[in-house]
Amino acid sequence: MKDLLQKKGLYVLIYVVLAVFMEMITFISMKLGVAPKYFLLDLSIIFLFATIIFVIPSFTAESILIVFLLLLQFILSFLNYTLNTIQVGSVFKLEMLGLANEAAGAFTSEFMDWGFFFLLLAIPAVAVALLIFLKKYRVPYNGAHNLIFIMVFTFACTCLGSSAMYNLTVKNLYNPTEMEDPLLYRLTSDKYLYDHFTSLQERAFPKFGTFAFYYMSLDRILSAKLSSGNMDAEETEMAQDELANYFVTQPTSTASSYSGILKGQNIITIMVESGEWYGIDPNFTPTLYALMNQGYKNEKYYSRDKTNHSEAIAILGSYPVETPFTSNYTSNDTLLGNTLSFTLPSILKADGYTTSFLHSNWGSYYGREDTHGVYGFENFYALEDMDLDSSENKKKDFYNFELDSELFGKNLDKIAPTDGNPFYTFITTLITHGHYEELIAYGDYANYLTDEQKAERAEKYMVKGLEPYYEQITQAYFKTKFKEQLAVNGLLDENGKVVSGRDADIYTRYLRYKRYQAGMMDLDRGVALLLDHLKENGLLENTTILMYGDHNAYYNDQQYYMKGIPKGQYEVPESYRVLFGMYSGKSPLHIPATGFTHAGDETFPLTRLTNTTRCTTTFDIVPTTLDLLGYTFNRGLYMGSSMFSHTPDITFISREGGMLSDKYFSLDGDEILYGDTGNAKAVYEFKLGAANYLAKQEKFEMLYKYDFFASSDVSKLVYKRK
């Protein structure tokens, strides 16, 4: 009996030690410290697993379970490490399983850290070796009745102990109350973080650890599954009453200096995939350069969200976290049946606008074919709805992008209808999406090649049609344009010469930039076609084009090398400063390179206007558009505010982790990783802005979950200014 219990104890010890070791390796590698802040939460779950291992009667079954648990931990740890490497602060959430196809399509080997992969994999391998070694030491099963008693007793005691450890730790989470810290408690309270875990998962992981994190995830998923379709009528009524009272307390938007100057105008919003300012070039993208510099240019626009989130926020003005729009593995309830009368397309459609959405990817990608009708778009055009030359390949691979110039050129009547009705059209581009490896994999495409060599390389490229742009971009131009930026990361010296031994590195950077810039040039061609269409049909003077980047070009660390940020310094806000511009046909427009000219009115307020002071984000797009179109709205209805109004009162919090402004960056709202920490007033305002965001998000979660506008009239909260 003693030998049997000792052997079982060794099996348990192997699991506990290796599980704890893997957790510590993961946290150290993710630069989160040695262990989570509340490590006892992790240990309580580990001990529970250890107890289950101990009571299994078969050593073979115990071994299988140990290896299975360690392999599962290996997968979760590697996913978290990889996502954190791509975007520091990001972690793997179980709801991401609903995007498995999208993630698999976009995943490339460049995201793999093979050293860390094999380091982690060595841990379950060590477990296998030790278990095989122990297997040869056979012990008899004597005293079956006593053994069963010991097993049951041990299981009961350990379960009670683990439960007590978990609950006592939760009870003692740092928890300044609302009375003690009325302004910042949402930001500083770990108990608040625990209670609002679903919407704050990126912040929760470093504090609670892998085991507690996924236990909490599963607990909330099971609760949601069990309550699915059984929403209590009284609970719903109470929530809707609370929201109604909330909107009563919120102020209405105040008129800015630019309120209503676009009244009645058509709106075309273009979300530029990975839209960076360095892609706007007077030589390569003359149309985009003219739009940005002869209209409104916002040089203080920041975004740190994924494409689908940046897209939805610019349409909804907010975004739910706890209740998904489409069904997934974590919830049966969706928002597809909700009344979203507050969205920008819904409001404009109610006022007679034709609302359309276009994107040259499959409609099923991110579930757009299901969601965008609910968002308020009456017309939805995806790849399968378009007649694009390149779509003859039937897009077998995610990276087989269609040309943006075709997206625009072959859908002009869909983008800007000529039937006389006002229109609101949203376009999500694709050609500038990473990765940017084609020229590295198959060779540069340049003027010095023979026609035969050009044809051979063009045949190998997955994205067809960018070759004319490639020929215009030279390495000499690249080195000159990015002289200072490349010097920051040690590729060029102060004289613009390649640092010894870095020739291959700078050539690789050049080819990646070349692929990105060629994509921007193709987008430029598409927008030029759109301008021609608008002018030829008498629509330009009454149309405004709004363009913004969904996020930075983060593939292959482009954001560091092209922006002059030391590699790895993710906390620098400049990394997330992306393009934003707005051009109204009321302004003049002259593009010498293409010969395009439009008289316009030089005195129009948005002509050659630049924002260089106020920090703005994706959340400000809907309020800004409504403000310029002449609408007044309840400020509780949207997360942001008009870019032309007062200083914002929220700090941008990314759904992928991190909080930022133009001056500060933090992952948890407590530790400031970038910015002047000596300026106590500015730090406090940054934190207060983050706390205000969290307070507002609570109301948005209720608004979506309880379908507030199914029984409330949005016209009381959004209406045209008289």
Side-chain angles (χ1 to χ4, degrees):
M1 174 74 72
K2 179 181 177 182
D3 291 340
L4 178 65
L5 293 176
Q6 285 179 341
K7 186 173 180 180
K8 280 184 163 292
L10 283 174
Y11 274 52
V12 167
L13 184 63
I14 287 171
Y15 170 70
V16 171
V17 169
L18 292 180
V20 170
F21 182 65
M22 192 185 302
E23 180 78 331
M24 294 172 68
I25 290 294
T26 301
F27 265 66
I28 291 170
S29 299
M30 292 176 66
K31 299 179 181 179
L32 298 175
V34 177
K37 179 179 179 180
Y38 297 101
F39 192 39
L40 289 180
L41 292 178
D42 250 3
L43 286 178
S44 64
I45 308 299
I46 291 174
F47 288 158
L48 182 62
F49 286 152
T51 303
I52 296 172
I53 292 168
F54 185 80
V55 301
I56 293 176
S58 165
F59 284 117
T60 299
E62 283 185 62
S63 299
I64 292 172
L65 181 57
I66 289 171
V67 174
F68 170 78
L69 289 173
L70 289 174
L71 284 174
L72 180 60
Q73 185 182 352
F74 156 75
I75 292 170
L76 294 173
S77 295
F78 186 71
L79 284 172
N80 285 323
Y81 173 83
T82 301
L83 288 172
N84 188 70
T85 300
I86 297 171
Q87 181 93 292
V88 175
S90 294
V91 294
F92 173 72
K93 296 173 283 191
L94 293 182
E95 54 262 37
M96 289 180 177
L97 290 170
L99 299 175
N101 291 333
E102 286 86 344
F107 188 83
T108 67
S109 60
E110 73 177 87
F111 297 132
M112 294 286 289
D113 183 332
W114 292 107
F116 182 73
F117 179 88
F118 287 114
L119 173 63
L120 276 192
L121 190 59
I123 296 174
V126 168
V128 171
L130 290 173
L131 292 169
I132 291 174
F133 176 78
L134 288 175
K135 185 175 176 62
K136 64 182 181 180
Y137 293 99
R138 301 184 178 278
V139 294
Y141 277 84
N142 297 324
H145 293 294
N146 290 335
L147 180 61
I148 292 173
F149 173 77
I150 292 172
M151 295 290 192
V152 172
F153 180 76
T154 302
F155 182 77
C157 289
T158 309
C159 285
L160 288 172
S162 294
S163 177
M165 181 189 298
Y166 187 93
N167 290 324
L168 282 172
T169 304
V170 171
K171 185 177 180 181
N172 289 287
L173 293 175
Y174 178 65
N175 185 30
T177 65
E178 186 172 3
M179 291 185 63
E180 295 170 331
D181 191 357
L183 297 178
L184 298 182
Y185 82 97
R186 289 182 176 86
L187 204 61
T188 58
S189 171
D190 293 331
K191 184 62 167 61
Y192 180 88
L193 182 60
Y194 183 88
D195 292 339
H196 294 80
F197 168 81
T198 304
S199 58
L200 300 171
Q201 293 183 55
E202 287 79 11
R203 289 177 56 210
F205 180 81
K207 295 195 175 184
F208 303 142
T210 303
F211 290 86
F213 180 88
Y214 290 107
Y215 164 74
M216 292 160 66
S217 296
L218 286 170
D219 177 60
R220 283 154 177 76
I221 289 168
L222 290 174
S223 297
K225 288 280 189 181
L226 291 173
S227 63
S228 176
N230 298 313
M231 194 173 294
D232 183 78
E234 184 178 351
E235 175 189 345
T236 299
E237 184 178 355
M238 289 178 62
Q240 292 184 342
D241 287 344
E242 181 179 339
L243 283 169
N245 292 330
Y246 166 72
F247 285 122
V248 169
T249 66
Q250 297 303 296
T252 57
S253 59
T254 55
S256 70
S257 302
Y258 303 92
S259 296
I261 63 171
L262 300 182
K263 189 173 183 179
Q265 285 229 329
N266 306 308
I267 302 293
I268 299 175
T269 298
I270 303 172
M271 187 177 79
V272 181
E273 172 61 50
S274 306
E276 296 275 21
W277 278 112
Y278 63 76
I280 306 295
D281 187 287
N283 299 300
F284 297 144
T285 59
T287 299
L288 298 179
Y289 184 82
L291 289 176
M292 294 293 172
N293 287 280
Q294 296 177 41
Y296 169 71
K297 179 168 60 174
N298 188 340
E299 294 183 344
K300 287 285 187 177
Y301 173 77
Y302 297 80
S303 180
R304 199 180 190 256
D305 275 324
K306 292 192 305 180
T307 296
N308 58 324
H309 292 149
S310 286
E311 180 181 287
I313 291 168
I315 295 168
L316 307 173
S318 59
Y319 194 80
V321 177
E322 296 181 3
T323 309
F325 272 102
T326 56
S327 59
N328 58 34
Y329 298 97
T330 64
S331 175
N332 292 329
D333 290 323
T334 74
L335 301 173
L336 294 182
N338 281 31
T339 302
L340 305 183
S341 53
F342 58 90
T343 71
L344 187 54
S346 292
I347 291 168
L348 296 181
K349 184 169 63 174
D351 282 338
Y353 278 68
T354 299
T355 58
S356 305
F357 177 90
L358 296 91
H359 181 46
S360 56
N361 203 344
W362 298 117
S364 59
Y365 206 83
Y366 285 135
R368 288 184 176 101
E369 61 187 5
D370 297 319
T371 58
H372 283 49
V374 181
Y375 288 175
F377 291 107
E378 56 188 304
N379 300 312
F380 176 81
Y381 305 106
L383 180 62
E384 56 266 39
D385 307 308
M386 301 178 189
D387 179 24
L388 304 181
D389 291 342
S390 50
S391 65
E392 293 175 1
N393 297 324
K394 298 304 181 185
K395 197 170 177 63
K396 297 178 181 178
D397 187 282
F398 173 77
Y399 292 101
N400 180 20
F401 302 133
E402 320 302 327
L403 296 176
D404 282 343
S405 59
E406 285 195 13
L407 168 63
F408 282 85
K410 295 206 169 186
N411 293 283
L412 292 170
D413 288 332
K414 296 183 178 72
I415 296 171
T418 58
D419 57 6
N421 292 324
F423 56 84
Y424 166 69
T425 302
F426 194 107
I427 305 167
T428 293
T429 72
L430 190 57
I431 195 66
T432 45
H433 196 295
H435 60 91
Y436 311 109
E437 300 291 290
E438 281 199 281
L439 299 178
I440 297 172
Y442 305 116
D444 191 9
Y445 192 98
N447 285 325
Y448 58 77
L449 297 176
T450 66
D451 290 342
E452 184 179 349
Q453 288 174 319
K454 289 180 180 179
E456 182 181 346
R457 292 187 180 183
E459 181 62 29
K460 292 178 181 178
Y461 297 150
M462 185 172 292
V463 178
K464 311 294 184 183
L466 296 179
E467 294 81 13
Y469 309 123
Y470 291 149
E471 290 187 284
Q472 301 177 49
I473 307 168
T474 66
Q475 188 173 2
Y477 184 86
F478 167 74
K479 291 178 182 178
T480 301
K481 179 174 181 175
F482 296 100
K483 176 182 176 181
E484 295 180 4
Q485 292 88 339
L486 294 169
V488 170
N489 282 290
L491 297 183
L492 295 180
D493 62 22
E494 63 274 11
N495 298 315
K497 303 294 183 182
V498 179
V499 173
S500 177
R502 303 304 299 272
D503 296 82
D505 292 336
I506 201 164
Y507 186 63
T508 297
R509 287 292 153 196
Y510 154 65
L511 292 179
R512 286 172 177 156
Y513 159 73
K514 186 170 185 173
R515 166 61 185 86
Y516 175 82
Q517 187 64 68
M520 289 296 289
M521 293 165 75
D522 186 64
L523 171 61
D524 187 81
R525 173 60 182 154
V527 175
L529 294 172
L530 174 60
L531 287 174
D532 288 338
H533 173 77
L534 292 172
K535 185 176 181 180
E536 290 168 5
N537 289 279
L539 296 170
L540 182 55
E541 188 170 349
N542 200 40
T543 298
T544 293
I545 300 173
L546 185 155
M547 301 180 68
Y548 73 100
D550 58 348
H551 51 68
N552 59 11
Y554 58 83
Y555 273 72
N556 316 112
D557 294 326
Q558 287 280 92
Q559 75 273 29
Y560 300 125
Y561 288 93
M562 299 297 95
K563 293 185 172 184
I565 301 170
K567 185 179 178 181
Q569 291 191 10
Y570 64 88
E571 69 277 11
V572 179
E574 175 65 17
S575 173
Y576 311 106
R577 188 175 71 87
V578 293
L579 68 84
F580 184 101
M582 194 185 317
Y583 170 78
S584 168
K586 290 179 179 290
S587 295
L589 183 64
H590 305 289
I591 313 173
T594 65
F596 184 93
T597 184
H598 170 65
D601 180 2
E602 191 68 43
T603 65
F604 183 66
L606 294 183
T607 301
R608 304 183 190 281
L609 179 68
T610 301
N611 170 43
T612 59
T613 56
R614 175 181 163 176
C615 178
T616 58
T617 74
T618 322
F619 285 113
D620 298 321
I621 291 176
V622 170
T624 299
T625 307
L626 289 173
D627 177 37
L628 295 178
L629 287 173
Y631 288 84
T632 295
F633 51 88
N634 185 293
R635 291 196 56 218
L637 197 55
Y638 305 110
M639 182 64 82
S641 55
S642 173
M643 296 177 183
F644 302 100
S645 64
H646 58 79
T647 303
D649 57 3
I650 66 160
T651 293
F652 179 79
I653 298 182
S654 168
R655 274 122 305 282
E656 277 60 69
M659 309 173 182
L660 67 98
S661 69
D662 56 333
K663 296 181 177 65
Y664 291 96
F665 184 93
S666 174
L667 285 175
D668 59 8
D670 182 25
E671 181 184 5
I672 301 297
L673 299 178
Y674 181 91
D676 180 8
T677 54
N679 189 336
K681 183 175 183 294
V683 170
Y684 177 78
E685 289 175 350
F686 173 78
K687 292 185 175 183
L688 181 60
N692 288 340
Y693 173 101
L694 295 175
K696 255 190 168 181
Q697 187 63 29
E698 289 178 26
K699 302 303 181 185
F700 289 129
E701 296 296 346
M702 293 175 61
L703 183 151
Y704 286 101
K705 179 179 180 179
Y706 296 103
D707 196 9
F708 179 73
F709 287 104
S711 56
S712 298
D713 185 3
V714 74
S715 66
K716 296 178 180 179
L717 300 176
V718 183
Y719 47 86
K720 287 184 178 179
R721 193 175 284 113
K722 294 181 180 179

